Amino acid sequence: MGPSFFPQAQVITFGSGGLGSLKLFYVAGLSVLMCVLTGGVAIASEPHSHPSFPSILLITLDTTRADRLGAYGNKDGLTPSLDEFAKSATLFQRCEAPAPQTEPSHVTIFSGWYPARHGVRKNLNVDLAAGVPLLAENFKKGGYQTGAFVSSYVLLGHFGLDRGFDEYDASFYDLRKPASSVERRSAETLSKATEWLKGRASPWFCWIHLYDAHSPYNPPSPFREKYKGNSYNGEIAYMDSALGGFFSWMRSSGMDKNTIMVVCADHGESLGEHGEPEHGVFLYDATTRVPLLIHMPKQTAPQSVSRDVSLVDIAPTLRDLCGLPSASSDGVSLVPLLRGEPIKRGPAVIESLVPLLDYGWAPLYAAVNGHFKFILAPRPELYDLAEDPMETKNIIGDNPKEGVALEKVLKQYIVAEEGKSLPSRNVSLGEEEMQSLRSLGYLSGGGAPVSRKIFKDPKDCITILNEIYKSVATRKAGHEREAVALLEDALARDPGNATVLFLIGQTYEDFDKSRAEAAYREAIRAMPSYPQPYIRLVTLLLESGRYQASYDTATVAISQAHDYSGMLNVLKAWAAFRLDKPRLEVMGALDEARKHAPERPLALKLKALLSIQDGDKEQALSYLGRMANCAPCFLMKAVGNDDDFKVLREDARFWSLVMCQE
């Protein structure tokens, strides 16, 4: 007999034979008509007009370690609201993230596919392929109202997760202020979600993403003062407090009565364990073990599951619970575990391609099976998590059989999943996106593709990694020369690292443009297909009046690099304009840029200048108006001081556009 909140289904069978039998399941008071085929594959009919069909609330907590929740054994009292929630939920003691980064992990949550299959291997590296099945699309087709409320630039809708949502709220982000509008606090996001939920009839699917625990850690008062010296804990405590108010509203409004609620993290956070700052590279528990809590309607008692599971299991579980059509999945439904029954699943797989894509080091893969974790690396690792939860004793030499078995699983995963991976477009980012990423603490947006034949074990590169992180913080504090010194030391330890060379160029731009150019050229030599150094180099050439050099460099870059942001084509159009190239060529470059991304401020500025050349002041003002809607204030103010626009200075509308307020 299963738990009281998930009663054994009453089953009425209508015939048998052939492919299967038609059955009507009554689960938790909900009627779901399903055709059960041989092999246990269930395909739902159209049940979603039923007013009692459950709504779904999915809350993802960015960068939240499982061991910070009281429900998972923490004694510091950081999470009373989540601990209370756990008292009427199923707690999965061991849930693995598929990757220690936000975007790959969230795509896995929504698709039920591992990163190697859906193609998103790191943040902001590719556009999500159209063929990746997403939960929101499933729910929308099933008659659900769908809403999403995210808290970070990394999950803006145009990166692909907005598919299937009636409303996808990321209203905090302002292209005019790319460095200062990259995230919002939990209270703001939860308020937006509450407004959407108020009075909404079932069924609905609502996703809420909270980002507070991600660096930089800066909790608001009184959490800042209470957790001085441990700001990460302060962010966790603040987020939990905001959730407390939201959960209280859900109960008082009755919105929780027929709602399945799932709370999980996308990945954890390393606070110095194994020498790693933050997350993204290593695959130890600090960054890969995450909380997973599922509350069913009418559930009043806690349940704990010791079976190891993965975030890849969430999508098939929700499809199963709501009678949605099944979809190909790398995960399994956890519904039997909710009923107190066993499941069959292979080891949970984890990957980190950040070492490879950002630094040219060896990628890492891990497999967790019961209390064993195996990490595939140049120097492989095996840990007994029951005896050694901090993963300090590599027992690969003591348990060769277990290591060999899990290594085989990972190698099969790599071959099989790579073969199934859908084609995705590499993304390169323009200056607005790069400003946003720097503000969030990310090192580079596009990633540095591999330029090595020998791949270092990331364990041997921890000093380099820490120097890179320290340099970013040092530059942000205004100590550019110290930041360059740190990066130069990192480069000496790892010659040819294209990301380090790019960061050196960025930092030199603050005080020595010629050295910045040299660093960008060296980064391009190290990796000719890396677009970001090209973008910055072409920009510097344009700004210094070397139009032919900028035109030639942009032309080469477009032939070599994957510039799906369109920025290189925009810059080439500017160079062609300054060189008095034919109008057809200038517009051709702008049109090509438009194919890859929304029209950028610099493209609109150039179109305004072309309109002035044509004598069409009204059209020029129209383009500037569109530019003002997406350009930072400093760009608009620069237009006001630009003599190319002096013919518009007698028009008051011109000044209203360029005299914007920060």
Side-chain angles (χ1 to χ4, degrees), residues 35 314 398 556 575 601 621:
C35 178
I314 289 178
D398 302 330
V556 171
L621 286 168

Side-chain angles (χ1 to χ4, degrees), residues 279-609:
H279 59 271
V281 174
F282 291 149
L283 298 179
Y284 302 112
D285 268 13
T287 63
T288 64
R289 183 189 174 215
V290 295
L292 173 61
L293 300 160
I294 300 178
H295 166 84
M296 295 295 296
K298 301 183 180 180
Q299 182 174 357
T300 58
Q303 181 179 215
S304 182
V305 173
S306 60
R307 180 71 165 89
D308 45 300
V309 300
S310 168
L311 294 179
V312 77
D313 301 324
I314 289 178
T317 299
L318 290 179
R319 291 187 184 114
D320 191 3
L321 285 170
C322 297
L324 296 173
S326 62
S328 173
S329 176
D330 296 327
V332 300
S333 172
L334 302 180
V335 168
L337 292 176
L338 295 175
R339 291 179 177 146
E341 301 166 2
I343 62 169
K344 291 183 179 180
R345 76 175 326 280
V349 174
I350 316 166
E351 69 166 51
S352 176
L353 264 67
V354 168
L356 179 71
L357 297 175
D358 273 1
Y359 306 112
W361 305 332
L364 298 175
Y365 298 89
V368 178
N369 189 34
H371 57 93
F372 284 108
K373 177 193 278 187
F374 175 79
I375 300 175
L376 182 61
R379 296 199 314 282
E381 303 164 65
L382 179 68
Y383 297 101
D384 184 334
L385 300 172
E387 297 294 328
D388 180 26
M390 300 303 292
E391 296 161 291
T392 60
K393 184 181 179 182
N394 184 359
I395 59 171
I396 189 69
D398 302 330
N399 297 73
K401 184 177 179 181
E402 191 69 36
V404 167
L406 291 177
E407 181 178 13
K408 183 179 179 181
V409 167
L410 289 175
K411 289 183 175 179
Q412 289 175 340
Y413 161 80
I414 294 167
V415 173
E417 293 301 314
E418 293 287 355
K420 290 187 288 185
S421 180
L422 293 178
S424 299
R425 298 192 317 167
N426 282 73
V427 174
S428 60
L429 304 174
E431 182 55 27
E432 297 90 352
E433 288 94 337
M434 291 299 291
Q435 286 187 44
S436 300
L437 290 173
R438 285 194 292 270
S439 181
L440 284 172
Y442 289 105
L443 302 179
S444 65
V450 182
S451 59
R452 314 290 182 86
K453 292 184 179 179
I454 299 174
F455 301 107
K456 296 183 178 182
D457 192 315
K459 295 189 289 293
D460 298 329
C461 301
I462 194 63
T463 299
I464 300 168
L465 186 66
N466 278 283
E467 285 182 320
I468 292 171
Y469 271 85
K470 187 176 179 181
S471 75
V472 173
T474 301
R475 182 189 177 203
K476 191 173 182 179
H479 306 299
E480 294 85 359
R481 286 175 172 79
E482 293 178 29
V484 166
L486 288 165
L487 290 167
E488 295 282 9
D489 187 67
L491 188 64
R493 297 174 186 271
D494 194 21
N497 188 310
T499 287
V500 174
L501 287 164
F502 175 66
L503 292 171
I504 289 172
Q506 280 190 310
T507 309
Y508 267 131
E509 278 200 54
D510 296 334
F511 63 95
D512 191 331
K513 295 289 196 295
S514 63
R515 289 192 175 185
E517 285 186 26
Y520 292 141
R521 292 182 191 279
E522 194 174 344
I524 290 166
R525 282 193 293 271
M527 179 42 60
S529 62
Y530 185 17
Q532 261 64 54
Y534 281 117
I535 291 172
R536 293 310 309 153
L537 179 58
V538 174
T539 299
L540 290 176
L541 293 171
L542 272 172
E543 290 175 348
S544 62
R546 288 171 286 173
Y547 302 133
Q548 188 64 52
S550 65
Y551 178 86
D552 293 341
T553 304
T555 301
V556 171
I558 290 168
S559 70
Q560 296 290 319
H562 302 291
D563 176 44
Y564 291 102
S565 71
M567 268 305 292
L568 284 170
N569 274 288
V570 171
L571 294 171
K572 182 178 180 180
W574 269 100
F577 172 75
R578 294 303 187 192
L579 291 169
D580 294 321
K581 297 280 186 181
R583 175 70 64 88
L584 191 62
E585 180 176 350
V586 176
M587 290 304 300
L590 291 177
D591 290 343
E592 186 64 28
R594 188 72 185 274
K595 293 178 183 178
H596 301 301
E599 210 156 24
R600 296 186 172 278
L602 288 178
L604 293 164
K605 180 181 177 181
L606 181 52
K607 287 185 176 182
L609 277 180

